[in-house]
Amino acid sequence: MDILSNLLIGAESALSMANLFYCLIGVLLGTAIGVLPGLGPTTTIAMLLPLTAGLPAESAMIMLAGIYYGSQYGGSTTAILINLPGETTSLVTALDGYEMAKRGKAGRALAAAAIGSFVAGTIATLIIALFAPPLAALALSFGTPEYFSLLVLGLVSSIVLAHGSLFHAVAMVLLGLLLGMVGTDVNSGIARYTFGIPELSDGIGFVPLAMGMFGIGEIIANLEHETSRQTLVKKVNGLLPTREDLVRMTAPVLRGTVLGSVLGLLPGGGMLLASFASYSLEKKVSRNRAEFGHGAIEGVAGPEAANNAGAQTSFIPMLTLGIPANSVMALMIGAMIIQGIQPGPSVMTEQPGLFWGLVVSMWVGNLMLVVLNLPLIGIWVKMISIPYHFLFPAIILFCAIGAYSLSNSTFDIYLTAVFGIAGYVLRKLDAEPAPMLLAFILSPMLEEYLRRALLVSHGDPSVFVTRPVSATLLFIAAALMVAVFLPVLRRNRKLAFQDAD
């Protein structure tokens, strides 16, 4: 009954005319962004953060969430039509979706992606409603040592699941922690790491950092690789799957939903991992395994269900624990902070309309995606052909306006430009900036819980290992670090011996 009453609270919030409008704007923007290769939800949400400051908290979060899971759907359109995924999570969809399009089945492939995403989104929303409350109740029983250890585990997990070099990931986390410490120390009132710049006394703004790293940096990188994009089909027909298609899709969609729901909880690349895992599983268990790579509808429906389910369940650690599972969730936490809301388990009790309204809006948004996006496929096809050099000046202008409007400070524009250049350099060095953003968000909380725990224990650091839950979380974090670094160290040692010989 508690879940039913909570969902009724959420329905009252999500089904208001204002929030339905913002949900619609979110899913349409998300689909459009997902369709355009080179842009993504991280870049878009980073650019739109300043706009959310003037919206009610519920409307802002509902719109940003719609952008997120809408982009997961939109990325499949370019993957199927031009073999160029708009989102990394749609990489797997391109394998069989593009082959189906080449055989004149583009409409059926797009329908499979849409239906798979809707079913997975619906089930994942129910999972959030069922499992988020007990997880939040457990988190409310945590003390400061447990919260510190939990945040450490979150940072370690982001290192383990980051793309590219592990040493780069560690460096990015340390850089994020340092950037999060810039500003005035709460206890002593002394400015630190400000280098005498008065504008930094309140710390580095989250919006300039996010827009620079993920907005400007991404734009500069995309300009290097702009290519002419030709759609495979100018007009898409046959948007209804056949009965045989539905039979072949059912089991892959359900299996993909289960995989995505579990892996979406993992910090880092849970959704991408879910897509690949779903494709690999279907390739092994399908009766039509010979068709994989040549246009198997299971290879479209399963991964699309997995990545959409992962996108939904990644909200669970963000909403209940205040720990982001990926860079988009870090931005969502930033949006909550801008709204004056402290992320964590208290959100469910202090802001029930926000929490449950966001949950119910996910189902509403997924329904909107199915009802609206298939009829609008012609518009998305035309958008794919827009040259990127026409888009980037408007995007940069929008970033500059957003950076200035939040606090009416030109310094924030300069800061955005500096972080934009830094983001581009990091990409050239194959250093993924996402772990840095997660560390930047968690740094103030990590420091706060560390100080509180040491204050309560009178400076005794053993408090982190003498409390069972805290010790278990730290042990898991240490085990993950050892497990992921041992192969690297062994390989480096082997290469060193070979060089010596």
Side-chain angles (χ1 to χ4, degrees), residues 163-174:
H163 306 297
S165 167
L166 289 171
F167 294 103
H168 282 170
V170 172
M172 288 297 96
V173 167
L174 294 177

Side-chain angles (χ1 to χ4, degrees), residues 166-289:
L166 289 171
F167 294 103
H168 282 170
V170 172
M172 288 297 96
V173 167
L174 294 177
L175 177 61
L177 291 174
L178 286 173
L179 291 174
M181 293 180 183
V182 173
T184 303
D185 179 39
V186 176
N187 288 348
S188 65
I190 298 174
R192 56 186 184 182
Y193 309 124
T194 60
F195 300 98
I197 302 173
E199 288 85 354
L200 292 178
S201 59
D202 290 332
I204 294 174
F206 175 76
V207 171
L209 175 69
M211 285 203 300
M213 285 287 182
F214 293 96
I216 306 296
E218 189 74 26
I219 289 165
I220 299 173
N222 287 334
L223 286 173
E224 280 191 338
H225 307 292
E226 184 183 8
T227 56
S228 59
R229 304 187 293 266
Q230 296 294 326
T231 56
L232 183 67
V233 288
K234 299 298 182 183
K235 187 176 181 181
V236 178
N237 296 313
L239 289 173
L240 291 177
T242 64
R243 179 176 297 180
E244 181 188 356
D245 289 339
L246 291 174
V247 170
R248 291 177 58 175
M249 286 165 50
T250 302
V253 166
L254 295 177
R255 285 190 288 261
T257 300
V258 173
L259 280 172
S261 298
V262 174
L263 295 176
L265 297 170
L266 299 177
M271 290 176 300
L272 183 60
L273 182 62
S275 295
F276 277 101
S278 174
Y279 189 83
S280 300
L281 177 63
E282 295 310 319
K283 197 172 182 180
K284 289 180 180 179
V285 303
S286 175
R287 297 178 181 177
N288 307 294
R289 64 189 67 179

Side-chain angles (χ1 to χ4, degrees), residues 207-499:
V207 171
L209 175 69
M211 285 203 300
M213 285 287 182
F214 293 96
I216 306 296
E218 189 74 26
I219 289 165
I220 299 173
N222 287 334
L223 286 173
E224 280 191 338
H225 307 292
E226 184 183 8
T227 56
S228 59
R229 304 187 293 266
Q230 296 294 326
T231 56
L232 183 67
V233 288
K234 299 298 182 183
K235 187 176 181 181
V236 178
N237 296 313
L239 289 173
L240 291 177
T242 64
R243 179 176 297 180
E244 181 188 356
D245 289 339
L246 291 174
V247 170
R248 291 177 58 175
M249 286 165 50
T250 302
V253 166
L254 295 177
R255 285 190 288 261
T257 300
V258 173
L259 280 172
S261 298
V262 174
L263 295 176
L265 297 170
L266 299 177
M271 290 176 300
L272 183 60
L273 182 62
S275 295
F276 277 101
S278 174
Y279 189 83
S280 300
L281 177 63
E282 295 310 319
K283 197 172 182 180
K284 289 180 180 179
V285 303
S286 175
R287 297 178 181 177
N288 307 294
R289 64 189 67 179
E291 292 185 28
F292 276 75
H294 304 285
I297 198 167
E298 296 92 335
V300 176
E304 278 299 304
N307 83 54
N308 203 53
Q312 307 275 102
T313 56
S314 65
F315 280 86
I316 292 179
M318 187 274 287
L319 289 172
T320 59
L321 303 175
I323 296 180
N326 50 54
S327 57
V328 174
M329 291 300 106
L331 291 169
M332 296 288 283
I333 286 180
M336 293 176 71
I337 293 173
I338 291 173
Q339 294 285 343
I341 299 171
Q342 179 62 42
S346 59
V347 172
M348 188 178 297
T349 55
E350 295 176 3
Q351 302 275 347
L354 170 65
F355 183 92
W356 292 106
L358 184 58
V359 171
V360 173
S361 76
M362 294 178 187
W363 185 83
V364 175
N366 276 281
L367 182 61
M368 287 180 176
L369 284 171
V370 174
V371 173
L372 294 176
N373 280 313
L374 289 179
L376 294 177
I377 192 64
I379 295 175
W380 308 137
V381 169
K382 291 179 181 178
M383 285 185 62
I384 294 172
S385 60
I386 299 175
Y388 193 71
H389 60 264
F390 290 145
L391 293 174
F392 88 87
I395 296 173
I396 291 179
L397 176 62
F398 190 82
C399 286
I401 294 172
Y404 178 81
S405 63
L406 200 61
S407 57
N408 295 328
S409 171
T410 55
F411 180 78
D412 285 346
I413 298 179
Y414 299 138
L415 206 58
T416 303
V418 169
F419 282 122
I421 296 170
Y424 171 70
V425 171
L426 290 176
R427 283 169 173 79
K428 297 297 287 185
L429 295 174
D430 292 326
E432 185 185 5
M436 186 207 70
L437 184 65
L438 267 64
F440 178 80
I441 287 287
L442 297 180
S443 179
M445 290 187 283
L446 193 72
E447 182 182 10
E448 180 185 353
Y449 288 125
L450 174 63
R451 284 182 167 181
R452 284 185 184 179
L454 292 176
L455 186 64
V456 171
S457 66
H458 304 289
D460 182 9
S462 65
V463 68
F464 297 108
V465 293
T466 54
R467 295 171 67 114
V469 175
S470 176
T472 302
L473 293 171
L474 289 177
F475 175 78
I476 296 172
L480 284 174
M481 289 294 287
V482 170
V484 77
F485 271 105
L486 270 181
V488 177
L489 294 175
R490 287 175 182 169
R491 186 165 57 250
N492 290 344
R493 186 179 179 187
K494 184 178 179 180
L495 291 174
F497 279 119
Q498 289 176 350
D499 292 340

Side-chain angles (χ1 to χ4, degrees), residues 89-164:
T89 52
S90 299
L91 284 167
V92 184
T93 308
L95 297 176
D96 282 283
Y98 185 64
E99 292 298 320
M100 288 184 68
K102 285 165 62 176
R103 291 161 55 184
K105 300 179 181 178
R108 289 160 63 183
L110 291 168
I115 294 171
S117 295
F118 174 71
V119 172
T122 300
I123 296 174
T125 301
L126 292 176
I127 290 173
I128 296 174
L130 289 172
F131 291 101
L135 187 58
L138 175 64
L140 284 171
S141 67
F142 281 11
T144 49
E146 287 80 11
Y147 254 109
F148 173 80
S149 301
L150 183 64
L151 294 176
V152 170
L153 177 60
L155 289 176
V156 170
S157 300
S158 70
I159 294 171
V160 172
L161 294 172
H163 306 297

Side-chain angles (χ1 to χ4, degrees), residues 40-50 52 63-65 67-68 211 328 331-332 335:
T42 306
T43 304
T44 308
I45 291 175
M47 292 188 299
L48 291 177
L49 275 177
T52 63
M63 185 180 75
L64 293 177
I67 291 172
Y68 180 39
M211 285 203 300
V328 174
L331 291 169
M332 296 288 283

